[in-house]
Amino acid sequence: MTRVLFICTGNVHRSVLAERLLAARLPPGSAVRPESAGTEAWPRPGMESSTMAVLEKLGGDGSGFAARPLTAQLVVGAALVLGLAREHREAAVRLAPSAMRRCFTLKEFLRLAVRGVDEGRGGEVGGEGAATAQGGVPDGEGPRIVDGFDVVVAAAAGRRGAAAPVPPAEDDVTDPWGRPHSVLYGCAREIDGAVSTLARLLGGGASV
């Protein structure tokens, strides 16, 4: 089993949606196991009602969820760690510096991984099915995995040092906490587009 860990602040909205929407977008029998945690979360069972509502509207399953705090053990045990904002990626690295090459923001990882697939195709950037800035794919088709899970993650880490820096806003998914339902739903749609692309990149997720 290959664990992908999503991190946000409270493990209430963003990381929850990423965990459960990725689970819904992976192919049956996938070896990828999406999980989530929060940098300021505390253990509690059940999913917040507004999160459950938007998750179910997008076809996800909220059953059996329990919020939990981020720990070094969770970071070390994950094959890929994806923060919903830069602060979450940085928190994971502080807890487990040895996992730094497996820690990204969700948008950062997609940017680097999709770029690698495009390069492998001869630079078909911007063509039909190209990923959007939010990590979604306009026509429902997009880049697919070209190597094993561990190879894709390692290649993305290798590209990180050579990639041009982007403004923080381009790496962060805005926190919808305390904001209108429409903001939460927009956040969920953005995350759904991103994890749908992630599911295509990771395929069945051979274990690392």
Side-chain angles (χ1 to χ4, degrees):
M1 190 65 69
T2 301
R3 294 171 54 206
V4 174
L5 177 67
F6 294 100
I7 306 168
C8 69
T9 303
N11 200 201
V12 172
H13 294 313
R14 290 172 290 178
S15 60
V16 177
L17 290 164
E19 172 194 337
R20 294 307 175 99
L21 287 170
L22 177 58
R25 305 307 177 225
L26 287 166
S30 172
V32 174
R33 178 182 174 183
E35 300 181 346
S36 66
T39 58
E40 298 179 14
W42 64 90
R44 60 190 187 280
M47 187 177 295
E48 203 273 341
S49 59
S50 62
T51 305
M52 179 75 83
V54 296
L55 175 65
E56 291 180 343
K57 188 170 184 177
L58 293 171
D61 179 7
S63 61
F65 177 78
R68 60 183 178 173
L70 181 67
T71 64
Q73 183 178 7
L74 288 174
V75 175
V76 170
L80 178 60
V81 179
L82 299 173
L84 275 295
R86 289 186 178 189
E87 64 188 272
H88 307 128
R89 177 195 62 198
E90 291 161 3
V93 173
R94 285 195 300 270
L95 284 170
S98 64
M100 180 174 66
R101 289 180 63 82
R102 304 195 307 275
C103 297
F104 305 82
T105 70
L106 172 59
K107 290 183 175 182
E108 175 192 23
F109 181 76
L110 291 178
R111 186 171 64 248
L112 296 170
V114 168
R115 176 182 171 188
V117 173
D118 285 334
E119 289 171 354
R121 290 171 158 186
E124 297 173 4
V125 178
E128 184 177 1
T132 68
Q134 289 74 35
V137 177
D139 57 6
E141 294 296 331
R144 296 183 183 274
I145 195 165
V146 291
D147 278 309
F149 186 105
D150 55 336
V151 176
V152 173
V153 175
R159 287 184 206 101
R160 179 157 47 189
V166 301
E170 291 190 21
D171 267 348
D172 295 356
V173 175
T174 302
D175 189 356
W177 176 263
R179 302 181 70 182
H181 181 81
S182 60
V183 175
L184 175 60
Y185 183 63
C187 173
R189 289 288 303 273
E190 180 180 11
I191 290 171
D192 192 26
V195 299
S196 294
T197 299
L198 181 62
R200 286 188 284 274
L201 284 167
L202 300 184
S207 181
V208 295

